[in-house]
Amino acid sequence: MPDRLNKFLASTGLGSRRAVEELIRAGRVTVNGEVAGLAIRVSAGDEVCVDGRPVSAEATDCLLLNNPPGVVTTVADTHGRRTVLDLVESPLRLFPVGRLDLETSGALLLTNDGELAHRLMHPRHGVDKTYLARVRGHPDPAALEQLRRGVALDDGVSAPATVALTAPDTIELTIHEGRNRQVRRMCEAIGHPVVELHRSRYAGLGLGDLEPGQWRELTPDELAGLPSG
């Protein structure tokens, strides 16, 4: 069956569906020599090119990395800093699913499956992300209740979080939104700025015994448990 062009391009490892749609809109994609639109479908035997270079679907993979602080979660960095791709070994063109800010460590998925990345990041699927936040001061029950109900941020009230105190100065939070530096802003809003932040689980996947900088491939069962459709 023919595939939509954006789905095919995502399967080549060029990026998420949103990213490849930008390539199509920019007129950088051709199918059989003609500039392609978003509605185009492609079949086996069609020649698909990006910037004049042929592309083809490749095998897909998904890795779980325990990302250390100070490593940039992009495929390249204009300032010459170490990126997550410097930590993993794969012949495939992997990219990180979402981002961790530079000071945050922990669970990060890398894949070349643009469709999977899109599903994981789309708000409709509400993928859980669990963080351990060491904060200034000792949050009281009222502060934790604020986090559970949602706190006012400059881009709107946060969705309710699952919250527990694991030490007098450490909060475990599970959220399903993906706003920029969200956990840090939530903790600041309740008067307890983050001192150290670690993402311990992503999409139900824990780090287990992975040390900072170590990674592993997902098992078939783990892949099957990720959002689909």
Side-chain angles (χ1 to χ4, degrees), residues 181-199:
R181 299 176 70 86
Q182 181 172 345
V183 171
R184 293 181 184 275
R185 293 190 291 138
M186 290 172 68
C187 291
E188 177 125 17
I190 64 166
H192 294 280
V194 169
V195 174
E196 184 177 0
L197 188 60
H198 176 77
R199 187 159 73 186

Side-chain angles (χ1 to χ4, degrees), residues 7-83:
K7 181 178 180 181
F8 171 80
L9 288 173
S11 75
T12 69
L14 285 171
S16 68
R17 187 169 62 183
R18 180 179 300 177
V20 300
E21 285 175 355
E22 289 302 314
L23 296 176
I24 298 170
R25 290 191 182 96
R28 296 169 59 187
V29 181
T30 60
V31 176
N32 299 326
E34 301 290 334
V35 175
L38 289 170
I40 292 292
R41 292 180 176 270
V42 295
S43 302
D46 287 331
E47 183 184 58
V48 180
C49 297
V50 176
D51 295 332
R53 296 181 179 180
V55 295
S56 59
E58 63 182 7
T60 59
D61 201 2
C62 190
L63 312 179
L64 176 64
L65 168 70
N66 186 353
N67 193 49
V71 176
V72 184
T73 53
T74 57
V75 297
D77 182 67
T78 57
H79 296 91
R81 295 172 295 184
R82 189 167 58 152
T83 75

Side-chain angles (χ1 to χ4, degrees), residues 1-213:
M1 293 289 292
D3 277 335
R4 288 184 67 90
L5 180 58
N6 58 357
K7 181 178 180 181
F8 171 80
L9 288 173
S11 75
T12 69
L14 285 171
S16 68
R17 187 169 62 183
R18 180 179 300 177
V20 300
E21 285 175 355
E22 289 302 314
L23 296 176
I24 298 170
R25 290 191 182 96
R28 296 169 59 187
V29 181
T30 60
V31 176
N32 299 326
E34 301 290 334
V35 175
L38 289 170
I40 292 292
R41 292 180 176 270
V42 295
S43 302
D46 287 331
E47 183 184 58
V48 180
C49 297
V50 176
D51 295 332
R53 296 181 179 180
V55 295
S56 59
E58 63 182 7
T60 59
D61 201 2
C62 190
L63 312 179
L64 176 64
L65 168 70
N66 186 353
N67 193 49
V71 176
V72 184
T73 53
T74 57
V75 297
D77 182 67
T78 57
H79 296 91
R81 295 172 295 184
R82 189 167 58 152
T83 75
V84 289
L85 294 190
D86 294 321
L87 302 178
V88 301
E89 297 176 6
S90 174
L92 303 177
R93 293 174 290 180
L94 302 178
F95 56 89
V97 179
R99 291 191 176 189
L100 293 173
D101 65 55
L102 195 60
E103 301 86 13
T104 300
S105 63
L108 182 74
L109 291 179
L110 295 99
T111 187
N112 64 332
D113 186 337
E115 283 290 300
L116 173 61
H118 176 76
R119 294 194 299 270
L120 286 166
M121 292 187 288
H122 197 286
R124 175 166 60 93
H125 294 287
V127 171
D128 283 346
K129 297 170 275 285
T130 300
Y131 295 83
L132 290 173
R134 187 165 65 85
V135 300
R136 292 180 191 162
H138 295 170
D140 60 20
L144 300 181
E145 188 61 24
Q146 281 184 269
L147 295 173
R148 292 189 183 101
R149 294 186 177 186
V151 295
L153 305 174
D154 57 8
D155 53 355
V157 177
S158 64
T162 302
V163 180
L165 203 63
T166 62
D169 65 348
T170 304
I171 308 170
E172 183 181 72
L173 302 93
T174 299
I175 63 174
H176 60 266
E177 296 180 295
R179 306 190 209 180
N180 185 44
R181 299 176 70 86
Q182 181 172 345
V183 171
R184 293 181 184 275
R185 293 190 291 138
M186 290 172 68
C187 291
E188 177 125 17
I190 64 166
H192 294 280
V194 169
V195 174
E196 184 177 0
L197 188 60
H198 176 77
R199 187 159 73 186
S200 58
R201 299 183 68 84
Y202 182 84
L205 300 168
L207 291 167
D209 58 0
L210 286 178
E211 296 292 333

